[in-house]
Amino acid sequence: MGSRMKAANGTMTLAEMKEFAGFPASTQRYIRRALDIGLDRQDALALWSRDVVEAASIRAQARLYDRLPNIRMMIPDDGGLEGVETIMGPLLTLSAFDLGQGRLTTFAAYRFLYERLIGAEIRPWLPAAFCAAAALPHLHPELRRKLLQSISEAAATASGWSNRQPGFFPNWVEKVEAAAMPH
């Protein structure tokens, strides 16, 4: 049984890697940057800012992501209405910021990031937060249309969600010159 579980986990992690590889380069970059900020993995400002505009965006993102520990603790144990006010306000604010950056252009990319930032327990709340944030007026109408069209009926109407934690957390990888690589 142990080897079957390891094989299943390996298969799922490989599927997560393939999903990440299917995102546009700008989305991959944003997800890695967001994970560095949200999981406090590296100095995101030093690693990711290419200009003053991006540096300001990273600082703003870091201020908002300071709420992540509280959001993780606020996730209701069930999908009842009692938890809506508690979780949706902070989750919607974070989602609106991230979608407003224009790099997470599909529900799949948004879900991929938020499952890693917050954990598998947030899955039941993601379709509602995504749709609400994607419909906010601060987004350009064309982006709103693209975002809202990206969520599948299956994702929006799921009757249940996996509680399996993600296994793949993309990280920055330094480029290695081909000549320096051993053969």
Side-chain angles (χ1 to χ4, degrees):
M1 180 165 153
S3 64
R4 265 192 276 184
M5 285 296 288
K6 288 179 184 176
N9 286 340
T11 301
M12 293 303 296
T13 300
L14 184 58
E16 292 172 14
M17 289 175 168
K18 287 180 179 180
E19 181 181 25
F20 182 75
F23 297 143
S26 62
T27 299
Q28 291 179 16
R29 184 179 194 279
Y30 189 81
I31 289 171
R32 289 191 313 263
R33 174 186 122 172
L35 291 173
D36 282 347
I37 295 167
L39 302 179
D40 200 26
R41 297 192 308 190
Q42 299 184 55
D43 180 357
L45 194 58
L47 184 61
W48 297 107
S49 67
R50 296 178 284 197
D51 55 37
V52 294
V53 173
E54 194 164 31
S57 172
I58 290 170
R59 284 188 197 95
Q61 189 174 19
R63 281 191 303 275
L64 284 170
Y65 278 23
D66 281 344
R67 303 174 184 185
L68 284 170
N70 291 334
I71 290 172
R72 289 181 194 113
M73 291 185 325
M74 288 187 247
I75 301 171
D77 291 333
D78 61 19
L81 290 176
E82 303 80 39
V84 170
E85 287 182 52
T86 306
I87 191 69
M88 286 305 287
L91 183 57
L92 181 56
T93 301
L94 242 57
S95 300
F97 175 84
D98 282 327
L99 295 180
Q101 297 299 296
R103 298 294 186 250
L104 301 176
T105 57
T106 64
F107 177 70
Y110 166 83
R111 177 196 44 75
F112 187 94
L113 173 59
Y114 276 67
E115 286 176 350
R116 284 150 185 80
L117 279 177
I118 301 171
E121 303 79 18
I122 199 65
R123 284 185 184 119
W125 300 95
L126 292 180
F130 176 82
C131 289
L136 290 173
H138 79 291
L139 297 178
H140 187 278
E142 187 60 30
L143 179 56
R144 286 197 313 259
R145 182 186 64 73
K146 184 177 182 179
L147 287 166
L148 290 169
Q149 287 179 343
S150 76
I151 187 167
S152 69
E153 182 179 340
T157 62
S159 60
W161 294 268
S162 168
N163 60 3
R164 180 192 163 278
Q165 293 295 335
F168 173 64
F169 287 76
N171 207 341
W172 174 259
V173 177
E174 292 289 335
K175 284 190 175 181
V176 178
E177 295 298 322
M181 294 178 63
H183 295 288

